[in-house]
């Protein structure tokens, strides 16, 4: 093997060793990482039972606290309106992983009764009203509540207490209310703002209300509805219901248009409308709602026109509101998103929380327990804890997988590293070989220099031998004077040869002249060829 081959082999071996060392270092890092991960997973699994117990107790405590608060509130409201009634009891359970709320009352013997199925309408009225207030607040949207005959099953002597509870709850929660009632609530000691229906639908219904005091009760920038104006809406030719903060009541005879106000609100905020909303003989119905900063939210229903519904927001001077290049005017069948965004009146879990329907006075009690919990946000804290429990279960599963796969990986890495234990010795041996190769390369270079010197010496020896041989030959040659003599003799011989040639030519010419005319050139050439050549004269000794 030549030195170059040895150097190439050592370089290849070095590259291979470097790759093996890189693999070993990577496997060592991976082994350390897997070992830490497996150790951490085992540590978490060791605390699994304690964590599960803690989360379970935390969930139970959260359920007790959230349910206890609502139980206390609902019981106080019920007993305020219906003294002596049984206390309200809530039970928070789980259905398909979601919180589920059962609402009942507790019997003296400790048993439970369903509020809707096992109790009278008065209990349903009070609990339904309280649940609506809670739902409006929990929804985190517009704090406005419209109730239509929510006192329909309450005895007349208990109606004042019902409105005192509603007024107190609305004030505490910051909810503006509109209550439609066939009771004469004007004399109730409840601090209500009362308006009355006047006139008849055939001639045009009017509304008598304290418009001046309602307007004076508002600060311009405070959210809330200042008035509801109905133009050509069923029995109303042009009537305005003034609204104040707190609880507003609209009273009047049956079937004179009180619920038309509720239908108008459902048209504006839910898009729930029919052409029958338009007053007979009119081309369109218009609903206007006064809002903060003097603005007016307007809704128009135009049968057989395009668009059939039109929502718009106007400044106090009647101009359309424009913000960031957007004009607040939208037509179509669906309520524009900006109406919900600005006023927060919307369905919650597909339930009419803000604007109640007269024909469906039971709110939430007839819904499934999971839906009740979602609307009231009861169990949300417990839901977060359930999410934590689910996360804990996922983490346990992940830790078990980490341990299982990690231990297999650790075993494989240890076997792979065991096979690479001799790399350090190989690296030392390779370094020694490289050092020896370097020494050998230096010795080879020295030998090459010696060989080159030997070659030069041999050549010099050969040159010296040739010079000696030439010197001996030159020593056997005559002296310089002999050479000069030979040169003179040779020059004289050459001179005599030239002279003899001229004499012979002259003799030939003379002989020809004696023989007659000269022959033709051809004959002359023939004779010249036939004439034997004379040998050159022998030079003198």
């Amino acid at each position: 093997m030549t030195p170059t081959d040895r150097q190439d082999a050592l370089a290849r071996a070095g590259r291979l060793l470097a790759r093996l060392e890189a693999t070993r270092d990577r496997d060592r890092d991976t082994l350390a990482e897997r070992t830490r991960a497996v150790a951490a997973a085992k540590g978490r699994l060791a605390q699994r039972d304690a964590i599960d117990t803690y989360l379970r107790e935390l969930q139970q405590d959260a359920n007790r606290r959230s349910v206890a608060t609502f139980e206390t509130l609902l019981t106080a409201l019920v007993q305020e309106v219906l003294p002596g009634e049984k206390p309200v009891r809530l039970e928070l359970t789980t259905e398909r992983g979601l919180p589920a709320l059962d609402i009942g009352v507790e019997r003296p013997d400790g048993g439970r009764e369903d509020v809707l199925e096992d109790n009278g309408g008065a209990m349903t009225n009070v609990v339904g009203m309280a649940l609506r207030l809670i739902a409006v607040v929990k929804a985190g949207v517009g704090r406005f509540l419209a109730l239509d005959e929510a006192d329909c099953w309450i005895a007349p002597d208990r109606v004042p207490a019902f409105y005192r509870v509603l007024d107190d709850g609305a004030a505490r929660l910051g909810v503006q209310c509109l209550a439609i009632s066939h009771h004469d609530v004007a004399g109730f000691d409840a601090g209500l703002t009362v308006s009355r229906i006047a006139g008849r639908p055939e001639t045009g219904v009017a509304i008598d209300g304290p418009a001046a005091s309602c307007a004076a009760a508002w600060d311009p920038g405070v959210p809330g509805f200042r008035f509801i104006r109905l133009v050509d809406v069923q029995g109303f030719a042009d009537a305005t219901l003034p609204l104040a903060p707190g609880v507003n009541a609209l009273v009047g005879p049956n079937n004179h248009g009180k619920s038309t106000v509720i239908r108008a609100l459902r048209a504006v905020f839910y898009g729930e409308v029919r052409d029958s909303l338009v007053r007979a003989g009119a081309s369109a119905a218009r609903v206007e709602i006064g809002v903060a900063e003097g603005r007016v939210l307007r809704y128009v229903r135009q049968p057989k026109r395009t668009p059939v519904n039109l929502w718009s927001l106007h400044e106090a001077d009647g101009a359309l509101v424009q913000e960031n290049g957007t004009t607040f005017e939208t037509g179509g069948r669906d309520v524009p998103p900006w109406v919900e965004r600005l006023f927060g009146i919307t369905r919650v879990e597909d339930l009419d929380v803000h604007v109640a329907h007269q024909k469906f006075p039971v709110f939430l009690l007839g819904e499934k327990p999971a839906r009740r919990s979602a609307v009231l946000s009861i169990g949300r804290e417990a839901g977060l804890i359930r999410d934590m429990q689910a996360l804990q279960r996922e983490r346990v599963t992940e830790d078990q997988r980490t341990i299982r796969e990690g231990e297999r990986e650790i075993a494989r890495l240890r076997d792979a590293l065991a096979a690479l234990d001799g790399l350090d010795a190989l690296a030392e041996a390779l370094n020694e070989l490289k050092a020896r190769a370097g020494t050998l390369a230096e010795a080879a270079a020295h030998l090459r220099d010696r060989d080159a010197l030997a070659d030069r010496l041999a050549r010099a020896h050969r040159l010296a031998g040739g010079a000696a041989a030439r010197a001996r030959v030159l020593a056997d040659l005559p002296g310089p004077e002999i050479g000069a003599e030979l040169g003179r003799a040779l020059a004289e011989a050459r001179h005599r040869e030239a002279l003899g040639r001229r004499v012979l030519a002259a003799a030939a010419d003379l002989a020809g002249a004696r023989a007659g005319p000269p022959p033709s050139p051809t004959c002359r050439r023939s004779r010249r060829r036939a004439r034997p050549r004379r040998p050159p004269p022998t030079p003198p000794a």
Side-chain angles (χ1 to χ4, degrees):
M1 181 181 291
T2 65
T4 301
D5 293 338
R6 286 194 298 271
Q7 291 293 334
D8 291 342
L10 289 173
R12 288 194 299 273
R15 290 193 293 271
L16 177 59
L17 180 63
R19 287 196 295 271
L20 291 174
E21 288 177 337
T23 300
R24 179 196 61 188
D25 294 340
R26 184 175 63 251
D27 287 348
R28 283 177 175 174
D29 294 340
T30 304
L31 177 61
E33 180 182 350
R34 292 289 187 275
T35 302
R36 288 193 297 270
V38 169
K42 288 182 177 180
R44 286 192 294 269
L45 287 181
Q47 300 296 322
R48 175 183 178 180
D49 293 340
I51 294 174
D52 290 344
T53 301
Y54 171 76
L55 291 177
R56 186 166 53 253
E57 293 175 352
L58 186 64
Q59 183 183 39
Q60 293 172 353
D61 181 64
N63 289 344
R64 283 192 299 270
R65 283 187 286 105
S66 61
V67 167
T69 300
F70 284 99
E71 283 181 345
T72 302
L73 174 62
L74 292 175
T75 298
L77 294 179
V78 167
Q79 293 183 351
E80 176 72 20
V81 180
L82 306 171
E85 278 291 346
K86 298 176 286 293
V88 178
R89 291 292 178 258
L90 306 181
E91 183 178 359
L92 190 61
T93 58
T94 302
E95 289 183 1
R96 299 180 181 179
L98 297 175
L101 181 67
D102 285 322
I103 304 175
V105 294
E106 184 179 7
R107 296 186 310 203
D109 61 359
R112 292 174 61 87
E113 295 177 351
D114 185 84
V115 171
L116 181 62
E117 300 295 339
D118 300 328
N119 285 268
M123 173 74 75
T124 303
N125 279 156
V126 176
V127 174
M129 177 268 292
L131 292 178
R132 281 191 183 276
L133 281 173
I134 295 171
V136 167
V137 175
K138 287 289 187 177
V141 288
R143 296 203 171 189
F144 176 80
L145 178 60
L147 301 173
D148 193 357
E149 303 287 355
D151 55 1
C152 59
W153 293 321
I154 299 178
D157 63 320
R158 302 312 304 167
V159 171
F162 176 86
Y163 282 99
R164 284 196 301 270
V165 168
L166 176 61
D167 183 60
D168 182 67
R172 291 176 183 273
L173 298 175
V175 177
Q176 182 186 19
C177 292
L178 170 62
I180 307 297
S181 178
H182 63 271
H183 293 284
D184 188 1
V185 300
F188 297 169
D189 184 18
L192 308 180
T193 300
V194 181
S195 298
R196 297 178 178 277
I197 291 291
R200 296 188 58 82
E202 297 82 5
T203 58
V205 179
I207 298 176
D208 292 334
S213 62
C214 287
W218 289 100
D219 290 332
V222 174
F225 295 155
R226 274 61 172 172
F227 61 82
I228 300 174
R229 182 186 180 191
L230 307 179
V231 179
D232 291 329
V233 177
Q234 289 191 332
F236 294 89
D238 188 349
T240 300
L241 171 64
L243 299 175
V247 178
N248 300 267
L250 178 62
V251 299
N254 290 335
N255 203 30
H256 275 59
K258 298 189 301 297
S259 295
T260 299
V261 178
I262 298 298
R263 285 193 285 273
L265 291 175
R266 293 178 70 87
V268 174
F269 295 110
Y270 295 156
E272 186 180 293
V273 61
R274 296 184 301 277
D275 288 343
S276 59
L277 186 71
V278 181
R279 180 175 172 80
S283 60
R286 186 168 83 247
V287 180
E288 295 182 351
I289 301 175
V291 296
E293 303 294 347
R295 291 178 173 180
V296 175
L297 173 63
R298 179 179 297 166
Y299 167 80
V300 178
R301 172 75 175 188
Q302 307 173 100
K304 301 179 182 180
R305 297 283 298 275
T306 301
V308 66
N309 301 311
L310 182 65
W311 288 265
S312 57
L313 183 63
H314 300 263
E315 299 286 4
D317 60 0
L320 284 171
V321 174
Q322 294 185 349
E323 293 180 0
N324 300 323
T326 301
T327 300
F328 288 88
E329 183 178 42
T330 305
R333 294 190 176 275
D334 298 326
V335 179
W338 58 265
V339 173
E340 178 181 337
R341 176 172 56 84
L342 292 179
F343 305 105
I345 309 299
T346 182
R347 287 185 167 95
V348 179
E349 295 287 329
D350 291 329
L351 290 178
D352 303 336
V353 174
H354 294 87
V355 184
H357 196 292
Q358 183 190 38
K359 304 301 192 300
F360 305 101
V362 177
F363 175 70
L364 206 58
L365 294 175
E367 302 296 331
K368 293 182 178 180
R371 200 175 192 189
R372 296 173 191 160
S373 178
V375 172
L376 299 177
S377 299
I378 297 177
R380 179 173 295 178
E381 182 179 359
L384 295 176
I385 298 172
R386 278 191 295 275
D387 292 342
M388 294 170 62
Q389 290 173 326
L391 181 61
Q392 168 66 6
R393 289 192 295 271
E394 292 176 3
R395 178 166 292 180
V396 167
T397 302
E398 179 67 19
D399 286 341
Q400 290 172 341
R401 186 179 64 83
T402 298
I403 293 172
R404 184 174 59 254
E405 296 179 358
E407 288 180 341
R408 286 200 299 265
E409 181 72 3
I410 288 171
R412 186 192 67 79
L413 290 170
R414 285 176 176 170
D415 291 341
L417 290 171
L420 299 176
D421 281 344
L423 283 184
D424 292 336
L426 288 176
E428 293 179 2
L430 183 61
N431 290 333
E432 291 179 0
L433 289 176
K434 288 181 178 180
R436 291 181 183 179
T439 302
L440 291 175
E442 292 177 358
H446 183 64
L447 288 175
R448 286 194 298 272
D449 293 340
R450 296 284 297 273
D451 290 342
L453 180 59
D455 290 341
R456 288 197 296 272
L457 289 175
R459 182 180 178 189
H461 182 70
R462 289 194 299 272
L463 291 175
R470 288 194 295 276
R472 286 194 298 272
V473 172
L474 289 174
D476 294 340
L477 292 176
E481 64 279 2
I482 297 301
E485 184 63 26
L486 288 175
R488 285 193 298 272
L490 181 59
E492 184 178 355
R494 289 176 178 170
H495 176 71
R496 287 181 180 180
E497 181 183 9
L499 182 61
R501 287 177 179 174
R502 286 197 296 274
V503 171
L504 289 176
D509 291 340
L510 180 61
R514 287 179 180 173
S520 65
T522 304
C523 294
R524 189 181 299 125
R525 284 196 299 270
S526 298
R527 286 197 299 271
R528 189 178 300 163
R529 291 192 195 99
R531 187 182 303 128
R533 297 182 67 180
R534 295 178 183 177
T538 303

